[in-house]
Amino acid sequence: MSEELKLGRRSFLSAAAITAIAGPLAIFGGSANAKNTDSKPAKTDTIKTGSNNTLGPIKQIDAGALNVGYAEAGPTNGAPVILLHGWPYDINSFTDVVPLLTAKGYRVIVPHLRGHGTTKFLSKDTVRNGQQSVVALDIIALMDALKIQKAVLAGFDWGARTACVIAALWPERCKALVSISGYLVTNLNDAQKPLPPKAEFNWWYQYYFATERGREGYDKNRREFAKLIWELASPKWNFDAATFDRSAASLDNPDHVDIVIHNYRWRLGLAAGEAKYDDFEKRLSQGPVITVPTITLEGDANGAPHPMPEAYRNKFSGKYTHRTITGGIGHNLPQEAPEAFAQAVIEADAFAK
């Protein structure tokens, strides 16, 4: 779920503590509304959430260390947008976002992150590494394989972190950024420091994963665990069994547990990263400012650990705005408020023009 950051890490509190950014603004005329700092949203068509059940056939392509499973929609010559999911979710978080973007002429790519869905390692000898720079390099490799030089990157949770890392280290590959919960780059030094008890409580699963008992428990109870996280992270989202089951199937990936456990242990300093990525992690631990045009979003009922918007404002030096999406919107914002998310992608792209 959404992760540590250098600035504001000690302000990871419950969703009730979120400070709304001034300026009410309706998005798409739907049930989810946004509070916005400055710019007005473009208009697009209203859809019924949940009306699109799948993303169509999944394609496979060799990219870096992986054979990546991904969905693709829209014209092949359209401006590329890459949508990145979180944990324990999958590409189906964007089922209702994709048609909104393709209707505007975008070419939309939605990959399964390593350890999810049909994305597999090309070699059994590759380290099952979940550290942040490696996941970002997966997406760079995918862009290279698809011959995409630059794209709008948008995501939540692990996907938002991955997009932030790319925007910070490889801004020439990121045209614009949409990040749920803002600046999510992990600072390994700060990650070792204790938080106040209330904030530590919100990270219970991270400590569970630090034990072999937790690893075994997660492996044996992937669906039950994921459903609990969904319920805690989005307490007002009444998702149905079919919606959950579509995404939960992606957790059956044979590398899933290895990637998840390494990710969370690595953040606590309990598992080493690979030395060849040390330089990237050193740069990320310095809290690099993101220069590309950016829109950050937050749900008003996000039950996952997340920073306050004001904590990360100065981490973005380009054109920028923040919106808090109201109406009981939780952690999985693209699936709970697809119109607001799609609108942010469209407007962030416009920022870059």
Side-chain angles (χ1 to χ4, degrees), residues 180 233-237 298-303 325 328-334 336:
I180 309 302
S234 299
K236 297 185 179 181
W237 181 32
E298 189 60 82
D300 67 337
N302 184 1
I325 311 302
I329 304 304
H331 187 59
N332 186 1
L333 193 149
E336 298 176 63

Side-chain angles (χ1 to χ4, degrees), residues 2-211:
S2 299
E3 329 299 353
E4 305 92 341
L5 71 168
K6 183 175 181 180
L7 256 166
R9 184 172 182 262
R10 294 184 178 273
S11 60
F12 284 171
L13 300 174
S14 66
I18 298 173
T19 301
I21 299 300
L25 181 67
I27 298 287
F28 289 106
S31 61
N33 300 313
K35 294 184 179 180
N36 180 21
T37 55
D38 46 38
S39 55
K40 294 181 179 180
K43 294 181 179 180
T44 189
D45 298 329
T46 299
I47 65 167
K48 181 181 178 181
T49 301
S51 61
N52 296 279
N53 293 327
T54 68
L55 288 174
I58 301 301
K59 300 180 179 182
Q60 300 290 143
I61 191 169
D62 288 351
L66 302 172
N67 177 258
V68 178
Y70 67 100
E72 181 173 6
T76 57
N77 62 347
V81 173
I82 299 176
L83 304 178
L84 301 171
H85 69 82
W87 170 86
Y89 307 90
D90 81 333
I91 62 175
N92 288 293
S93 290
F94 301 104
T95 53
D96 293 321
V97 172
V98 170
L100 291 171
L101 295 178
T102 58
K104 296 296 182 180
Y106 288 100
R107 177 190 180 189
V108 184
I109 309 294
V110 193
H112 282 292
L113 299 186
R114 59 170 52 199
H116 294 76
T118 60
T119 291
K120 304 291 177 61
F121 285 87
L122 294 172
S123 171
K124 64 180 177 57
D125 298 323
T126 302
V127 176
R128 272 39 177 179
N129 183 342
Q131 71 186 94
Q132 63 183 348
S133 60
V134 176
V135 181
L137 285 165
D138 289 345
I139 303 306
I140 295 291
L142 176 63
M143 293 174 69
D144 290 343
L146 294 174
K147 297 180 170 33
I148 296 173
Q149 178 57 35
K150 200 169 192 176
V152 176
L153 302 178
F156 73 106
D157 196 87
W158 287 24
R161 173 180 300 102
T162 301
C164 285
V165 169
I166 294 172
L169 295 185
W170 299 281
E172 70 278 5
R173 307 304 297 270
C174 181
K175 181 180 180 183
L177 171 68
V178 175
S179 177
I180 309 302
S181 299
Y183 187 86
L184 295 181
V185 174
T186 297
N187 181 318
L188 282 181
N189 296 322
D190 278 3
Q192 313 309 310
K193 299 174 183 177
L195 297 170
K198 185 175 181 180
E200 295 283 18
F201 176 77
N202 290 333
W203 287 103
W204 64 271
Y205 56 91
Q206 183 169 245
Y207 302 108
Y208 182 65
F209 290 161
T211 68

